[in-house]
Amino acid sequence: MTVIAAACIQLRSGKDTSENTARAEDLIRAAAGDGATYIQTPEMSNVLVRSREELIARIDVLERDLFVTMARRVAADLGVFVHVGSVAVLAGGGQVANRAVLIAPNGAIVETYDKVHMFDVDLPGGESWRESSTYKAGEQVPVVDLPFGKLGMAICYDIRFPGIFRAQSRLGADILTAPAAFTRQTGQAHWHVLQRARAIENGAYVISAAQGGRHEDGRETFGHSLIVDPWGDVVAELDTDAPGHLVAEIDLARVSKARARIPAIANERDFDCRMTRAFREEPA
């Protein structure tokens, strides 16, 4: 039986990467002080800037990113895994990546993941987003075999695309992740049900650290960082949009128990889908 203490760091990132990094370091250290050995930060941990030009002026390549450099140093100092939910980094050719980074207790980067699904939506009230105009979409989705279990990496809007999480679960992922900067209105409507649905249908833990509150660039995010167990129960939640951290024990034996009760992955079959046109009588 593998039991670990997992943590979510909730942020309210602004435009200053140095300030965001310093605040996050304090919360990461606090979570480790509470016993966490796997610590996850939210999407866009290093900076939240709506203007593409301003964003590019404030970021760097991954190797020089202030937030990732801090996370590597702190992971080695504390002997913990730090999962940077994502950072905006320069990706060459004038492109930007929304990139998650998993860091080992020795400070080494274990894996990275570039967000696959771009949040291109028009919401009620005039709120509109076009991530594809700023970010280069990723093409590969990883599962990382860690000492305590197998972890699948995803980011925010990916949570609405169940195929990612099913593919990861087929590869044995015990823990699924979707660190996020969910908008307030979509979070109020769908945040909890989406996290719980991905956990239930895959019989896996879902851990999602979140951005929360009103940010310097004017956007509002939902907060409510969550850890959901393989049966769909919320193990821990920051029931607010304020910066902070939560720590909860997760027992990976519950994954095999859930999958034995409802063997949805084992029972799944390939199928074809077709459209049938109903008979329509031609007018006389």
Side-chain angles (χ1 to χ4, degrees), residues 83-98:
H83 179 172
V84 178
S86 87
V87 286
V89 293
L90 298 176
Q95 296 180 314
V96 180
N98 183 347

Side-chain angles (χ1 to χ4, degrees), residues 160-187:
R160 295 183 183 272
F161 299 86
I164 283 182
F165 303 92
R166 179 60 107 216
Q168 292 175 332
S169 297
R170 285 174 176 168
L171 288 179
D174 310 288
I175 302 168
L176 306 173
T177 64
F182 247 63
T183 68
R184 180 175 298 280
Q185 66 169 302
T186 59

Side-chain angles (χ1 to χ4, degrees), residues 52-68:
R52 185 180 193 277
E53 292 72 23
E54 187 177 359
L55 176 69
I56 289 174
R58 292 176 178 272
I59 63 176
D60 208 330
V61 296
L62 181 67
E63 294 75 16
R64 293 195 296 267
D65 179 77
L66 289 176
F67 197 99
V68 172

Side-chain angles (χ1 to χ4, degrees), residues 252-273:
L252 295 183
R254 297 172 76 173
V255 175
S256 56
K257 289 179 181 178
R259 290 175 176 172
R261 288 179 185 174
I262 308 291
I265 298 171
N267 290 346
E268 192 167 36
R269 299 178 64 236
D270 292 331
F271 58 87
D272 292 326
C273 181

Side-chain angles (χ1 to χ4, degrees), residues 115-155:
K115 186 177 182 180
V116 167
H117 295 102
M118 299 291 98
F119 190 55
D120 290 357
V121 302
D122 297 305
L123 298 172
E127 187 175 0
S128 181
W129 299 95
R130 289 292 180 273
E131 285 188 343
S132 63
S133 67
T134 298
Y135 301 99
K136 179 184 178 183
E139 297 179 350
Q140 296 184 333
V141 179
V143 174
V144 187
D145 193 355
L146 299 173
F148 53 82
K150 295 182 175 65
L151 181 139
M153 298 173 73
I155 298 171

